[in-house]
């Protein structure tokens, strides 16, 4: 008896948790400019107030938790596409020094 063919679907999402808010780094509304490297201000929808402000939250069910909300779920068809998505996400990531230990 022949084994049925198996098909796998890979889906990638990249979220940034910053100041207790999630940001969708694969959302095309997030800019890929040097300005996006600046620290996110509280209560903004994205870097420097740009973005669509998607609501993403963690829902806890006993011992497990899951993300709920409208965030990008990109179907990946190979390693090259996955690396491209990661590169885009890194460009959109907010980064800046903090004064946590000052």
């Amino acid at each position: 008896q022949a084994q049925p063919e198996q098909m796998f679907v890979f889906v990638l999402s990249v979220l940034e948790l910053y100041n207790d808010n999630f940001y969708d780094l694969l959302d095309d509304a997030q800019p890929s400019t040097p300005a996006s490297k600046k620290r996110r201000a509280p209560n903004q929808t994205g870097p420097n107030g740009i973005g669509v402000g998607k609501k993403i939250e963690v829902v806890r069910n006993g011992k497990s938790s899951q993300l709920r909300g409208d965030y990008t779920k990109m179907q990946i068809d190979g390693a090259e596409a996955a690396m491209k998505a990661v590169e885009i996400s890194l460009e959109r990531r907010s980064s800046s020094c903090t004064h946590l230990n000052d």
Side-chain angles (χ1 to χ4, degrees), residues 2 31 47 53 58 64 70 79 81 89:
V58 177
S64 67
D70 182 26
S89 299

Side-chain angles (χ1 to χ4, degrees), residues 69-84:
D70 182 26
Y71 56 93
T72 304
K73 298 164 189 81
M74 181 182 288
Q75 188 167 331
I76 300 296
D77 60 4
E80 204 170 295
M83 287 305 299
K84 178 72 173 165

Side-chain angles (χ1 to χ4, degrees), residues 32 80 82-92:
S32 298
E80 204 170 295
M83 287 305 299
K84 178 72 173 165
V86 169
E87 288 171 3
I88 290 169
S89 299
L90 289 174
E91 290 175 7
R92 295 176 180 171

Side-chain angles (χ1 to χ4, degrees), residues 13-54:
S13 297
V14 183
L15 304 174
E16 175 182 33
L17 178 60
Y18 191 94
N19 286 337
D20 295 327
N21 294 306
F22 286 100
Y23 296 90
D24 182 354
L25 297 181
L26 293 177
D27 181 3
D28 289 333
Q30 299 290 337
S32 298
T33 63
S36 70
K37 298 282 185 190
K38 295 182 180 176
R39 185 184 314 170
R40 297 184 194 278
N43 302 321
Q44 286 187 331
T45 57
N48 301 316
I50 301 169
V52 295
K54 295 178 178 181

